[in-house]
Amino acid sequence: MKKTAILILLAFVSYAFFACATDTLDTTTAITTEDVRNDAINQEYQTLRLSFPVALVADFVLPEASSADFAVSYSLDDVILTNRTITYVQEAYDREKTLEVSITYEGLSVTKQYVFMQVADPDLSEQEIIKLVFQACYDTILDDIPAKIYSDLTLPDMPLDGVSVEYSSDISYVFHGRFIYTYPDIEETVLINATLRYGEEVRYVSTYVTMASIDELSKIPAIYIYTEGGAAVESDEDYVSATMTVVTYEDNEAVTFLENAVLGIRLRGNSTLYMPKKPYKIKFEEKTAMFTDYARKDWVLLANYADQTLVRNYLADELSRGVGMAFSPISVFVDLYLNGEYQGNYMLTDQVEAASSRVDIEKESPNLDTGYLVELDKRLYDYDDWSLLDDNWFLVEGIPFVIKEPDWDDDTYSIDQLYYIQDYFVTLLNTLKAKADYTDLIDEDTFIDWFIIEEVMKNVDSGYSSVYFYKDAGGKLKMGPIWDFDLSSGNYGHLEPALRGPEGWYTSRQDKNIFFYYLMQYSTFRSHLKARWNELYETVILPLPDKIYETSDSIMLSRYQNFEMWDVIGVDTSWYIAPEIHAIDTYEGQLWFLYDFLTQRIAWLNQNINNL
């Protein structure tokens, strides 16, 4: 009985084992078969894929299956390709396409995706590029040209390389990319035409612009000075008693800024003193703020008669402010009326003097090492008898210097102070000539900044007059402030032709400013000059020419009235008018000359300073 049970048990176990083994064998066989089919499909896909297009440039017939064992079908972007042919579609742009490949093998179907690029049709692509280029130009012109203008208008440059534009107008004209405002009595609508060229393609676009009437132009501040009894202002020494009223404008509505302030007025200047349009110095009875946050008694009204753009002094002051000089004179354009008579466009600016708000140095001290303000002034050569001059000048190797502070009229001024500052300048010059260390004598940073401004503007006076130095008690000698740039930037008739152009060093010539002649022989000075130039170049120096048009546009009405009164453009042949200036008979031509001069000047300096 036991034997039988054991046999039955063994038989059951054997059956169970056989059954389990059989199930395992069947499952393994099924998985292996699917893998084999997948492998076959993958291999077939890889074979087909070798014949697929990478970049489609024409109709393309896709391959058939490699054997009858496989069934292959294609669809492109979800559209079945019944004849296995991809049709090339001419388009302006490259376009990504997705090919779906379905492969069936022994009942198993697998779909794979293949991405390729349909290449743009060259002709359509070129046409589309041309279309987009011109559209960008149209948009620029139509967006950037305003509907109404109140000044000359700088017409837009094209936004893309390779495109040139020529502008014209049915009224007025275009000069060096500027539409010229004509000062109409009533507003006038004009058509501005643009001819665009890109390669061999030409397109045209036009837009209408309304010129505001002359009465709509912005007014600048007006200064009204009435002398006592209507007395003429004829002396550069004696003040004439007067009152001043200043009117500013908000939306062209007059606002009285200052009313009947008591002051004295006299002529001022040197060579400008003898020009028809006179510069003035005014001295208030009480300290008065003039468009500033500080109040002073002494102010200056520059006529800018010799500058037929009116903006050279303003540009130099802007450059001084951009460079960050310790004191930069204000520059406010005003219309000046004297005893009810219009005098023209003037620039209100500071008097160069020692004051906390101007040249900030110690004043009225009897000490030798006190504050000094000194001017290099070769105009003293014009005097026949120097013994008749005030006792506030000295010579350094024949070069005259005038002491502005301490004031020789003050009780504290002494001849010993003159000897002290004269000795300081002599020591400096001897140090430079000996190529010795000058760092304890001068503030090199101020010398470099002053030099950059003078050289950018190529100022004729940078070694002649209005060349200021200052030294505070216990301090080093510094340079500044800048002053007098009406005869700069090509505007000098008394220089020989070789010196009038935008190229070449000027201030550092041996016959100009002797200090910079020697300083430029120091490698350390040249290195520091180069570093400072490159620090200022992009943000301060390079944008300077564009300020010409910004400034002149801001004084449209005033400049028009000025030159209606002073008919000098292309007319004046005085000694200070260079032949190049005299040859230009329009105001916009004068502006372009200055713009072109400074652009070339900056480029020359940039190359040559960086080659030091």
Side-chain angles (χ1 to χ4, degrees), residues 264-325:
I265 180 171
R266 65 169 175 83
L267 301 178
R268 71 164 306 280
N270 293 289
S271 59
T272 56
L273 185 63
Y274 302 99
M275 296 178 187
K277 183 184 176 188
K278 304 300 183 184
Y280 299 99
K281 180 180 178 183
I282 56 177
K283 190 178 189 70
F284 288 100
E285 192 174 70
E286 302 290 339
K287 290 182 179 180
T288 303
M290 294 293 287
F291 307 98
T292 56
D293 57 2
Y294 56 87
R296 299 297 304 166
K297 289 185 177 181
D298 297 315
W299 299 88
V300 172
L301 287 163
L302 295 178
N304 288 320
Y305 179 79
D307 177 9
Q308 296 179 14
T309 70
L310 302 174
V311 303
R312 282 178 169 86
N313 270 310
Y314 181 91
L315 288 177
D317 290 342
E318 278 288 284
L319 191 53
S320 176
R321 283 185 278 274
V323 166
M325 298 208 51

Side-chain angles (χ1 to χ4, degrees), residues 337-573:
Y337 296 83
L338 182 59
N339 293 327
E341 297 291 329
Y342 180 62
Q343 302 298 303
N345 174 281
Y346 278 71
M347 197 176 85
L348 174 73
T349 188
D350 289 278
Q351 169 74 10
V352 176
E353 63 178 354
S356 60
S357 54
R358 289 175 172 165
V359 181
D360 191 7
I361 55 176
E362 182 181 74
K363 291 182 60 177
E364 300 174 354
S365 168
N367 297 327
L368 295 183
D369 189 4
T370 181
Y372 289 89
L373 174 61
V374 178
E375 178 187 4
L376 185 160
D377 190 0
K378 293 181 181 178
R379 292 169 301 193
L380 268 64
Y381 292 146
D382 297 336
Y383 292 90
D384 295 328
D385 187 354
W386 287 15
S387 66
L388 300 177
L389 298 174
D390 298 329
D391 294 330
N392 64 334
W393 59 271
F394 60 87
L395 295 175
V396 178
E397 292 196 2
I399 302 171
F401 293 83
V402 177
I403 301 171
K404 301 294 185 178
E405 181 67 36
D407 188 342
W408 72 279
D409 280 335
D410 289 344
D411 294 336
T412 57
Y413 178 76
S414 71
I415 196 67
D416 288 334
Q417 289 176 325
L418 184 148
Y419 295 150
Y420 171 86
I421 196 63
Q422 179 183 28
D423 183 65
Y424 199 103
F425 273 79
V426 169
T427 300
L428 171 59
L429 186 55
N430 288 337
T431 299
L432 296 177
K433 291 172 69 174
K435 294 185 173 57
D437 184 5
Y438 58 77
T439 55
D440 288 338
L441 294 171
I442 68 169
D443 183 320
E444 185 189 64
D445 291 344
T446 65
F447 273 67
I448 287 175
D449 285 350
W450 184 91
F451 179 74
I452 286 174
I453 297 168
E454 299 290 327
E455 282 298 283
V456 167
M457 299 298 294
K458 202 172 186 183
N459 185 17
V460 72
D461 285 335
S462 63
Y464 180 72
S465 66
S466 301
V467 177
Y468 290 101
F469 305 79
Y470 65 100
K471 179 188 178 302
D472 204 1
K476 300 178 184 180
L477 189 68
K478 299 181 180 182
M479 287 217 70
I482 64 158
W483 189 257
D484 201 7
F485 287 80
D486 55 339
L487 299 181
S488 70
S489 311
N491 187 32
Y492 12 66
H494 57 300
L495 289 185
E496 57 270 29
L499 290 180
R500 292 202 298 265
E503 297 182 347
W505 298 107
Y506 188 83
T507 304
S508 56
R509 289 170 57 94
Q510 189 172 11
D511 60 334
K512 299 304 176 184
N513 194 308
I514 194 67
F515 296 104
F516 287 95
Y517 170 74
Y518 287 112
L519 280 168
M520 286 292 279
Q521 296 178 27
Y522 285 78
S523 60
T524 53
F525 182 85
R526 297 195 303 271
S527 175
H528 296 161
L529 169 63
K530 178 179 177 180
R532 181 60 169 158
W533 172 270
N534 288 316
E535 180 183 352
L536 298 169
Y537 181 70
E538 291 286 343
T539 57
V540 177
I541 296 170
L542 203 56
L544 185 67
D546 287 333
K547 292 182 183 292
I548 296 169
Y549 292 124
E550 294 173 15
T551 306
S552 66
D553 287 349
S554 72
I555 56 172
M556 283 296 297
L557 179 58
S558 179
R559 83 186 199 201
Y560 173 78
Q561 294 170 333
N562 181 85
F563 290 114
E564 284 288 290
M565 180 173 185
W566 303 104
D567 183 19
V568 295
I569 298 178
V571 175
D572 196 342
T573 57

